[in-house]
């Protein structure tokens, strides 16, 4: 996966509602978002996901990972991946990525690997959690698990869906809805992360759930 361009087609949904249908470069991972949600600038998103573009590790990760982001805010921005532009006017932000695993990563992949695949510390041991909560340098506070599901295995594809709260950088409580799959061949992890403030998540729960449930991975064909 050497490029980060999304294959996106705006199609009509049922009942007259419009959706944008998205799939990764290989066509194996796909989902839909409301047509009113806007694709964010790819370069800005890559900076948020991978960090300094001059870093060798960041460049390596980018070569192994496909990403795309959509923002329901009227002024879409990759900044909204983790931080709401305005608490009063917050809107859902969705980021999807498909990571090609290295041989070493394939040997160690687990359900907790999927829970942590968004890059947020979700499945960590008690000591790490205490450090995150107590350290003044840590941006991750007030972690709460709202739900955690191991999804049924389909055609060899394993997955989880975890909904959790965090208070980042001293800001408002935010809800993250994460779905992640391990491909049947064990070579790729596909992750969908939806963020909104807790109040926003409650108000738009049905819409967010529709997006999350649309996220699927096909079995690789030979």
């Amino acid at each position: 996966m050497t490029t980060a361009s999304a294959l996106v087609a705006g199609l009509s949904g049922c009942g007259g509602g419009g959706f944008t249908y998205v799939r990764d470069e290989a066509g194996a991972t796909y989902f839909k978002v409301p047509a009113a949600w806007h694709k964010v600038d790819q370069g800005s998103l890559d900076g948020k996901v991978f960090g300094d573009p001059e870093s060798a590790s960041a460049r390596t990760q980018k070569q192994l990972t496909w990403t795309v982001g959509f923002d329901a805010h009227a002024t879409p921005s990759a900044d909204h991946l983790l931080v709401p532009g305005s608490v009063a006017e917050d809107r859902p932000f969705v980021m999807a990525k498909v990571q090609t695993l290295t041989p070493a990563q394939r040997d160690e992949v687990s359900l907790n690997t999927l829970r942590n695949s968004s890059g947020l510390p979700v499945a960590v041991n008690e000591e790490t959690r205490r450090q995150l909560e107590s350290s003044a340098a840590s941006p991750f506070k007030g972690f709460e698990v709202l739900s955690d599901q191991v999804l049924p295995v389909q055609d060899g594809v394993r997955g989880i869906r975890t909904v959790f709260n965090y208070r980042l950088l001293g800001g408002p409580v935010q809800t993250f809805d994460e779905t992640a799959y391990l491909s049947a061949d064990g070579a790729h992890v596909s992750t969908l992360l939806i963020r909104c403030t807790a109040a926003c998540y409650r108000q738009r729960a049905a819409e967010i759930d529709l997006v999350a449930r649309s996220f699927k991975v096909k079995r690789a064909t030979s």
Side-chain angles (χ1 to χ4, degrees), residues 9-171:
L11 303 176
S12 296
C14 59
F19 293 97
T20 298
Y21 290 76
V22 189
R23 60 186 175 92
D24 74 321
E25 293 169 332
T29 299
Y30 56 97
F31 64 101
K32 67 180 180 181
V33 297
W37 296 19
H38 307 287
K39 185 176 181 294
V40 301
D41 178 75
Q42 190 64 50
S44 297
L45 180 65
D46 287 347
K48 298 295 181 183
V49 175
F50 304 116
D52 186 353
E54 298 303 317
S55 164
S57 61
R59 292 197 299 270
T60 299
Q61 282 300 309
K62 184 176 179 180
Q63 290 174 347
L64 294 173
T65 310
W66 172 90
T67 62
V68 69
F70 286 85
D71 193 352
H73 199 281
T75 306
S77 170
D79 290 339
H80 299 158
L81 171 62
L82 296 178
V83 180
S86 166
V87 175
E89 299 180 359
D90 192 32
R91 301 290 185 272
F93 187 102
V94 58
M95 184 270 293
K97 68 176 186 175
V98 180
Q99 179 183 0
T100 300
L101 300 180
T102 65
Q105 289 171 330
R106 294 187 197 185
D107 290 341
E108 297 179 356
V109 70
S110 66
L111 292 178
N112 279 344
T113 302
L114 300 183
R115 293 183 177 98
N116 293 329
S117 64
S118 66
L120 297 176
V122 177
V124 299
N125 60 41
E126 292 184 7
E127 180 179 356
T128 299
R129 180 65 62 202
R130 286 195 296 269
Q131 292 174 348
L132 290 172
E133 294 289 346
S134 63
S135 172
S138 168
F140 304 106
K141 306 294 183 183
F143 177 74
E144 301 173 306
V145 176
L146 304 183
S147 66
D148 183 70
Q149 306 171 58
V150 176
L151 302 176
V153 178
Q154 296 186 351
D155 294 328
V157 176
R158 294 191 296 158
I160 59 92
R161 183 178 177 187
T162 303
V163 181
F164 55 95
N165 283 344
Y166 254 130
R167 186 185 296 274
L168 298 182
L169 301 170

